[in-house]
Each structure stands twice: as C-alpha cells, then as structure tokens.
Amino acid sequence: MAQYARSPAVAVIRLRNPPVNTLSFAVLQALEDGLEKADADPSVKAVMICGENGKFSAGADIRGFSSPNRPVKSLAALVSLIESSKKPVVAAIEGIALGGGLEVALGCHYRVAHVKARMGLPEVTLGLLPGAEGTQRLPRLIGVPAALDMITTGKHIPATEALKLGLVDEVVEENTVEAAIRLANKVIGQPLGPRRLSLKPVPKLPDMEAFLSQARVRVKKQAQGCLAPELCFQAVRAATQMPFADGVRRERELFMVLLSSGQARALQYAFLAERAAQKWTTPGGASWSSATPQPVRSAAVIGLGTMGRGIVTSLVKANIPVVALEQDLEYLNTGRKAVMLLLEREAMKMEVGAQTLDFHNPARLQFTVDFDSLRDVDLVIEAVFENMALKKEIFHKLSRICKPGALLCTNTSALNIDEIASATSRPQQVIGTHFFSPAHVMRLLEIIYGRHTSPTAIATAVQLAKALKKVGVVVGNCFGFVGNRMMFPYVQQAVFLLEEGSRPEAVDRVLEDFGFKIGPFRMSDLAGLDVGWRSRQGQGLTGPSVPAGTPARQRQGQRYSPLPDLLCESGRFGQKTGKGWYQYEKAGGRTATPDPWLHSLLAQYRDTHGIEPRFIDQEEILERCLFSLINEGFAILAEGIASGPEHLDVIYINGYGWPKHKGGPMFYASTVGLPRVLAKLHKYSEAHPDVPGLQPSAFLKKLAAVGNPPIKEWMSYLSQQSSRL
Ligand code: CAA
Ligand code: NAI
C-alpha cells in the first residue's frame, strides 16, 4: 500500500509493501489515490514520494508477471500522471530504486538520493525492457550512451555515480526524506516544464548513427543469444528517432514481444530459483529457518594450487583474515606469488572510493608451511590434490590441531565427505565447500553435508557463501555431488558421439549454439584431461588395475570409451600441454583449432573396433547430451540429494555456463515437455541398451505419466510416491 501524510505544505506518500516495496496493484492504486488527494487539497503545494523501511522500490513484482492482472499498463500511466502533476513531485530514494521503482522516480520532477542508495533498470536481466516509459525518459535525462549502458546491462549504479550522470539532483548522507521535503518546499512555485522529462529533447551526439551502430555490435556480442539486450537497444534507439509518444508506442510493442518470449519466463524463473535455493532443508529435518550460523572471523586454506589461490583471493576480498598453507617452501613461494598477482589484479578492478584490499598486512594474510598456525582459525578449507588418503591424513591432523569449534571444509570435487569426516573426531563439523574454477570469479559454491554434518555447520557454510558474494547451494553427499554427477553422463555422451562418427568441433558447436559458453570438449581441454584420467584410474576403470581380458569398450557390462584415456596416454592433457581434443598455438594457449591428428586417431579407432561411422545430426547431439544430464537430475531429486529442481538449475547456471535465458536444465526439460524428454530417452536407450545414463529415471517416468506438471509441483509427486512405499 502507500501511506499518505502531510509535512505541512508537502504531501508525503510512502510506498509500503515489504520486504522491498514492489509495485503491486494495491501499491499503484494507493499511489494514484495519494496523488489525487494531494492534487485536490489546495493547502498542499508539493508532493514527496518515498519508500517504507529505507527502500524506495524494487519495481514490479516478478512473481506477478505471468498473472493476467499484471499492472504494467497502469504503471506507465501512473508515471505519466506523476509527471503531469501541477505541483512539484520529489522522489526520496533510499536503499534501492530498481526497474519500475526507478521509472516512478523518473516521473518525478526532482530526485534526492541517499549516498548508499543504488539505482538501475534491471529488466533486461529478467528478459524484459523497462516498460513504463523508462527507455524513453532515461536517455532524455542522462544522454544516450549512459542510458543505453544502464538499460542493456541492467547494472545497479551507486548514488554518487547517479549524481555525476545527472540521474539524481542531490545526494545526502543523512535523512533523505527530510532533504527531499526541504527541496520540495524550495521548488514550490517554480516552473515544472523543464523538469518534465517527456518534454525534453534527447541530448545530441556528434555522430549518433555511428555511435548506435557500434553500440549495437557490442550489445549483440554481450547478449550471447539472449533477446532482451537487443530489444532494449531498439527501444533506446527509438528515443533518438521519434517523438516521445511514438517512442513509448515502440517501447510497448517491443515489451510485448519480450513478455511473450520463453526467455523472459526462463529468466524470471532463474531469479526466483536463486532465492528458493537459499531455503535449504535436509532429509534429516535440518533447515535454513531453524539453523544458526557461527561467525567466521578468520579462515585458513590448505593447498595453493589452481583452486586454493582463488579461494584465498575470495576470502581476502570478503575481508576475512586468511592463513594460507602449503606442503613445502617451494610450493609456498609459487602459491604466494600467484595469490599476490590475483589480489593485485582484483585491487585494480575495485571501484574508486571502495575499501582497499589489505593483503600486504600479515595480520590479514599470512603464508605458512606450519600446521600449528591453524590453531585459532574459525574455518579451514582444504584444497589439496584429489586423493582420498591425502585428504584423510590432512583432516586427521586438522582434527587434532584446530580449536574445538572450527569448521573443517573440503573442496573435493567428487570424493565421499563421510569418509573424509571419518578421519576426524568431529564429523559434525566436516562439510564440503565445492568452489568452481576460477574460484574468485565463479559465483557457485556447492555445499555438501555428510551423514553427521550439523545444521550449524551447514548454516555457517551458507553464510560464508553470502559473505563471499557467491550463491551457496546445499546438496547431499554422493559421487560428484550434483553438478559433476550430472556432468558425467553429458560428457560421456559427447565422447560416444565421437566414437560413432562425430567430431569434437561438431559436438561443441551444437552445444555452444544452444547457449553454453563452451562445449564439452573445449571445457575438458580447459579443465585438463588428466584430472578425469586420474579419477578413472582411482576407480579402476583404466590403467594397470584393469583385469586382463577386459574388453576395451566395456566396464562391468556397460559401454565405456577409452578415447579420453588414449589422449592422456599420448600426453595430450588439453590447453596446458597445447594439445587435447583440439590443438593450441602453444602449451597454455587458448585458441582451439581442430586437429587433423585427432581426426585420423578417430578414424583408426573406429577401424580397430569395427565401428561404421555415421552422420550424426544436431538434434541427436543436443538430445543425447542434454537429456542424459537432465535424466541424472531426476535421479538426484528422487534420491533426496537436492531439495528441488531449482537447486539443480541454480548450480548449472552459476557453475557450468548453462545459458540463463534457458532457465537451467530442469526448467528446460519442463519447456521441452517431460513426455517428450521421456520418449527421446526411450528411443536412445533402445539404440544403446548398454548405456545406463540413457535409461529413463523412475521419477521422470512418474512425472511424465501425469503429463507435464508445472516444475514447482514436481517434488510433491515424489512425496506421494514415497508415502505409498
Ligand atoms: N519482485 C518480487 N519479489 C522480489 C523482487 C521483485 N521485484 N525483488 C525482490 N524480491 C523478493 C525476493 O524474491 C526475496 O523474497 P523471499 O525472501 O521470499 O525469497 C526478497 O524480496 C528479498 O530479496 P533478496 O533475497 O534478493 O534480497 P537482497 O537484499 O539480496 O536484494 C534486491 C534485494 C536488490 C531488491 C534484489 O532482490 C533484486 O535485485 N530484486 C529484483 C529487482 C528487479 O529486477 N526489479 C525489476 C522488476 S521489473 C520492473 O520493475 C519493470 C517492469 O514493469 C517491467
Ligand atoms: P592443484 O594440483 O592445482 O593444487 C593442489 C595443491 O595442494 C598443490 O599446490 C599442492 O602442493 C598442495 N598440497 C598437496 N599436498 C599438500 C599438503 N599435504 N599440505 C599442503 N598443501 C598440499 O589442485 P587443484 O586443481 O587446485 O584441486 C584442489 C582440489 O580442488 C581437489 O580436491 C580438486 O578435485 C578440487 N577441485 C578442483 C577444481 C579445478 O577445476 N581444478 C574445481 C573444483 C574442485
């Protein structure tokens, strides 16, 4: 709602819809009523609009976009109503003014912001454009380049930057509402024409056409298959080409195109899924609502290799003092140099005026080879080689050395958390914190609880993720956890497709066209083929422990491809050795080129194993890779390893480069239709009966049997199933 008050000549309208004052139908109605009341009262000379609880407004209600009562049209009409008021209207922006919230402020004649406020038009990130005339007003206020940047990226800008751009008239450090009322009193009686943005011309540029054509190329490149940035661009371009009213009509047309696109639905789902994934529960009954985190005032990282370096950097950036430990002085020096380089780069990227990174102070960042230095830390993250015996040895040591309450975390990518915990005397404090490479950049933190992990330990890891500005997703313990477990059948299909006649570049192209940042073969080359090779050796799938007489392409009755092992045996570990599934310009090079050596290896391999190569079309490549990954997702849900499909989708969007505008693998399955996914899996598993990853999961079959139930109802079918068992 909105609250109406007087201060004495200024009517105060306060938007009120906790927690972030979204513009529900009721809020818009109350705002309109407040404006009419102020207009009708001759003793009111000016109006001030602010928000309850130190927040202006987060804009339209994202949960309400799919509702037929969506109040978008009335928002635009209301913004016009504010602008046309005969009495000056001042916005007092505290906290946030986002989307429709900022559009309301743009309808006002003046804007005062608190120094800590942030403003933005993030509609593009929801697959939309600012549909309440924001694409037409903002360029008139701050010029085309700045408006285009804000509207096509959706970035939030701080108040100080908004002041420089001319988006706000005043920035205050104290009481914003009082400052806005002061300004309202001051401007009573002044002409409003120049303050009405719809009447202003768009500021000219020396060569608007050239600017726009360059900007369009940039926007398209950054969009990576997402429609909204391009249509946001078109709406802003309309502002430069048409009078205000025509521009508004164009904005509305483009908005409707986006609103009905599947991408908008997927991106809005992704926004809500990220919030839903914060509400974790475990089958044992622990939950986000009852568990309390313990404070993390200091941390340690063991192992400063690829992952440890990024983890230390992340902790330092979050202002948590760190002890960084390596196995000997030589590794320590290499690790220290790498960490310092990362931190220096991060410091350069930081905003002017932001708090500086204090990494030269040994009280904030200490390097050591002495485990005794870990005595007092609140939390340790182990990131040594992926080797169970080594991890157990380290956890045993930690359990003896660290103070009783310290949380012991492992960054293992697949190993059993319970087995690691069994080496300690405090398994309730052992937890998996699976970072993604590069750890200081990637947003995902997969948090894995073991059989004995306490709710406090889970809550503390979730809190840590927030402190590191990451998305923490809590999952159960199984080989590969959620992300890597779903990845195994996907990569396996990609390799099988090569055996049957395809090429790495063909498979990668199909998945990159779908929207992945890189396809499975480029990804394997980047991560290093030796990582999987070592893991397969550990599992007895390749190497000397494979019993004599085992068929080359079969393990325990299932299809197996030795192709990745053959590459590793020839020293082709991917980018790091300059050769893998592709060839690179040098060891460590990044430009992948198709490799004739690999093509002839494939031909020879097929000959040796009597495989008749066939042409494999794009549809089969896409379906076999994606549907096997999705199928594993259903098995994970049925086993209770994750609490819901949203969790899987958040993991894939933030850790595996899944295109956000396709909502995550489980959401994508719901858009394809579960009966169709099931039928395709049936077809492929009949053709490849020795591939368990293609055999449809029981949970998928159950859901498909009832049609294509909405994704938010899936888990209820699971509980119906278990209660009957
Ligand atoms: N609609 C509905 N719910 C919203 C919301 C919105 N616009 N913004 C936030 N929320 C909800 C969240 O879902 C969350 O709900 P739960 O507690 O039930 O999970 C709650 O508000 C708090 O949000 P966060 O957990 O994200 O809190 P935060 O403090 O980390 O961030 C925020 C706050 C910066 C406002 C962030 O939530 C955000 O970026 N929100 C989206 C803002 C946005 O994109 N607005 C544009 C909407 S489109 C529009 O306005 C124009 C139009 O008509 C087309
Ligand atoms: P890495 O080989 O780059 O680094 C491991 C580091 O641990 C080395 O610097 C080594 O000297 C150090 N180390 C070994 N024994 C030690 C000991 N006893 N005491 C102190 N330090 C010791 O390995 P990477 O890639 O950083 O992986 C680390 C862990 O993170 C592994 O468990 C891996 O599975 C996991 N992981 C790796 C990812 C990746 O992309 N590389 C992604 C996610 C998880």
Side-chain angles (χ1 to χ4, degrees):
M1 263 32 69
Q3 191 192 36
Y4 183 88
R6 293 271 311 275
S7 177
V10 180
V12 173
I13 302 175
R14 197 177 287 272
L15 309 173
R16 189 197 260 173
N17 188 12
V20 289
N21 300 326
T22 49
L23 301 170
S24 63
F25 190 77
V27 170
L28 294 184
Q29 190 57 55
L31 178 53
E32 186 173 344
D33 293 347
L35 288 166
E36 277 168 7
K37 200 164 161 188
D39 185 43
D41 184 346
S43 64
V44 167
K45 304 290 179 210
V47 180
M48 195 275 298
I49 303 176
C50 62
E52 183 83 349
N53 271 334
K55 295 184 178 88
F56 190 73
S57 168
D61 185 344
I62 296 168
R63 288 185 172 84
F65 279 134
S66 42
S67 142
N69 302 324
R70 218 171 19 88
V72 167
K73 192 160 180 297
S74 37
L75 177 58
L78 194 65
V79 174
S80 296
L81 187 74
I82 297 170
E83 195 191 76
S84 60
S85 164
K86 293 189 188 69
K87 300 174 184 181
V89 186
V90 182
I93 301 173
E94 293 173 301
I96 40 160
L98 300 173
L102 185 59
E103 287 175 303
V104 166
L106 289 172
C108 298
H109 306 112
Y110 297 88
R111 286 155 293 277
V112 177
H114 187 263
V115 67
K116 291 208 171 126
R118 287 179 298 137
M119 280 147 267
L121 291 172
E123 286 86 343
V124 66
T125 64
L126 300 167
L128 295 171
L129 55 77
E133 304 176 357
T135 63
Q136 305 304 299
R137 279 199 179 82
L138 193 63
R140 288 175 159 80
L141 181 61
I142 64 172
V144 175
L148 199 57
D149 184 34
M150 278 182 75
I151 292 171
T152 58
T153 63
K155 71 181 183 191
H156 299 182
I157 61 163
T160 42
E161 191 181 336
L163 183 66
K164 275 191 215 137
L165 291 175
L167 177 52
V168 297
D169 302 287
E170 207 179 303
V171 169
V172 295
E173 295 200 2
E174 299 299 330
N175 192 320
T176 317
V177 167
E178 280 174 12
I181 292 176
R182 263 198 311 277
L183 180 65
N185 276 308
K186 202 168 109 189
V187 297
I188 289 169
Q190 289 186 14
L192 290 176
R195 309 296 309 182
R196 294 192 172 110
L197 298 180
S198 67
L199 304 181
K200 277 170 85 91
V202 172
K204 295 242 177 315
L205 286 177
D207 191 347
M208 185 69 87
E209 272 315 303
F211 170 79
L212 286 173
S213 66
Q214 278 168 17
R216 183 176 203 168
V217 173
R218 203 173 47 243
V219 167
K220 262 209 153 116
K221 194 163 163 223
Q222 284 162 359
Q224 294 188 319
C226 189
L227 199 59
E230 164 72 12
L231 269 61
C232 282
F233 169 85
Q234 289 183 27
V236 174
R237 188 180 55 187
T240 68
Q241 295 170 336
M242 303 172 185
F244 185 82
D246 294 344
V248 165
R249 261 192 294 281
R250 182 78 186 123
E251 177 192 274
R252 211 152 284 162
E253 281 163 19
L254 294 167
F255 183 85
M256 294 319 288
V257 172
L258 288 173
L259 190 67
S260 56
S261 78
Q263 292 194 356
R265 222 159 60 78
L267 285 161
Q268 286 150 31
Y269 162 84
F271 174 87
L272 296 172
E274 193 171 314
R275 269 84 198 153
Q278 300 314 301
K279 301 192 169 137
W280 57 271
T281 52
T282 68
S287 137
W288 64 278
S289 58
S290 51
T292 319
Q294 59 191 40
V296 177
R297 297 193 189 91
S298 58
V301 176
I302 307 182
L304 301 178
T306 311
M307 296 306 291
R309 296 163 187 188
I311 298 171
V312 171
T313 305
S314 254
L315 289 161
V316 172
K317 277 179 72 186
N319 221 5
I320 299 173
V322 191
V323 180
L325 185 141
E326 254 294 348
Q327 58 176 324
D328 62 30
L329 286 174
E330 200 180 328
Y331 272 108
L332 187 72
N333 275 335
T334 313
R336 184 207 313 261
K337 275 189 206 135
V339 167
M340 288 311 203
L341 195 66
L342 284 180
L343 282 166
E344 258 143 34
R345 281 196 205 138
E346 289 302 306
M348 278 181 355
K349 278 192 243 159
M350 282 172 72
E351 276 169 26
V352 184
Q355 200 184 0
T356 49
L357 293 179
D358 192 11
F359 55 95
H360 292 291
N361 175 355
R364 313 295 303 178
L365 175 59
Q366 179 193 341
F367 291 89
T368 184
V369 290
D370 181 5
F371 268 81
D372 270 347
S373 313
L374 311 188
R375 261 178 211 294
D376 295 326
V377 296
D378 293 327
L379 174 143
V380 182
I381 301 171
E382 164 277 312
V384 304
F385 305 128
E386 185 80 335
N387 175 305
M388 181 57 92
L390 175 63
K391 300 225 186 233
K392 281 170 89 169
E393 185 194 316
I394 287 189
F395 273 75
H396 181 66
K397 220 186 242 179
L398 290 175
S399 151
R400 277 194 294 109
I401 290 171
C402 294
K403 66 182 182 188
L407 198 65
L408 310 181
C409 312
T410 171
N411 188 49
T412 175
S413 25
L415 298 177
N416 189 337
I417 305 295
D418 289 330
E419 193 177 340
I420 296 175
S422 71
T424 73
S425 55
R426 47 173 106 166
Q428 73 283 1
Q429 280 153 249
V430 176
I431 192 162
T433 46
H434 182 202
F435 289 78
F436 287 71
S437 181
H440 61 296
V441 176
M442 296 294 284
R443 279 189 84 217
L444 180 63
L445 183 67
E446 214 178 16
I447 297 169
I448 307 107
Y449 58 87
R451 197 179 312 134
H452 302 290
T453 308
S454 70
T456 303
I458 302 176
T460 306
V462 170
Q463 179 95 332
L464 176 73
K466 274 206 191 104
L468 301 182
K469 295 201 167 61
K470 295 194 185 292
V471 197
V473 183
V474 176
V475 301
N477 183 23
C478 60
F479 188 73
F481 318 128
V482 165
N484 285 346
R485 179 170 156 184
M486 288 168 74
M487 187 62 19
F488 296 140
Y490 164 86
V491 174
Q492 191 186 47
Q493 285 306 313
V495 175
F496 289 165
L497 289 162
L498 296 194
E499 287 189 330
E500 292 164 36
S502 200
R503 286 183 170 185
E505 48 277 22
V507 175
D508 278 352
R509 193 173 329 108
V510 170
L511 289 150
E512 285 160 17
D513 286 349
F514 174 78
F516 274 100
K517 293 205 172 72
I518 48 175
F521 292 107
R522 274 180 214 271
M523 185 188 67
S524 303
D525 273 359
L526 178 68
L529 300 183
D530 52 324
V531 180
W533 190 37
R534 241 178 279 129
S535 162
R536 288 191 297 282
Q537 282 171 339
Q539 296 170 65
L541 293 169
T542 187
S545 62
V546 176
T550 304
R553 298 180 53 234
Q554 221 183 58
R555 296 290 181 274
Q556 285 126 24
Q558 297 172 11
R559 181 168 167 188
Y560 177 82
S561 174
L563 268 173
D565 303 330
L566 293 177
L567 260 62
C568 290
E569 283 158 20
S570 334
R572 297 177 72 108
F573 291 170
Q575 284 190 9
K576 61 176 101 167
T577 56
K579 286 186 168 72
W581 294 109
Y582 293 90
Q583 58 181 338
Y584 297 84
E585 67 277 22
K586 57 174 194 260
R590 289 175 176 205
T591 316
T593 321
D595 190 348
W597 181 91
L598 189 96
H599 299 156
S600 65
L601 173 87
L602 288 176
Q604 217 178 331
Y605 176 90
R606 293 182 197 118
D607 263 4
T608 311
H609 296 287
I611 304 168
E612 187 61 45
R614 63 187 176 91
F615 170 76
I616 303 172
D617 64 18
Q618 294 183 6
E619 186 177 287
E620 181 173 347
I621 293 175
L622 196 67
E623 290 177 347
R624 277 177 59 185
C625 292
L626 294 188
F627 293 175
S628 57
L629 178 153
I630 288 165
N631 195 34
E632 195 64 39
F634 281 108
I636 285 172
L637 291 177
E639 287 169 30
I641 296 290
S643 327
E646 298 89 353
H647 294 61
L648 275 49
D649 286 335
V650 171
I651 286 175
Y652 262 78
I653 290 171
N654 293 288
Y656 292 85
W658 181 283
K660 201 172 182 179
H661 59 271
K662 293 212 163 95
M666 306 317 280
F667 180 85
Y668 175 70
S670 77
T671 61
V672 172
L674 301 189
R676 184 175 156 82
V677 174
L678 178 65
K680 291 291 183 153
L681 280 167
H682 272 309
K683 177 181 135 187
Y684 294 124
S685 68
E686 272 163 26
H688 307 276
D690 53 353
V691 181
L694 290 172
Q695 281 159 24
S697 104
F699 187 31
L700 168 61
K701 282 190 203 158
K702 183 176 178 70
L703 289 172
V706 284
N708 192 31
I711 194 163
K712 59 178 183 297
E713 289 173 16
W714 287 4
M715 298 312 276
S716 66
Y717 288 92
L718 196 59
S719 53
Q720 282 166 27
Q721 183 184 39
S722 351
S723 60
R724 271 210 302 279
L725 289 173

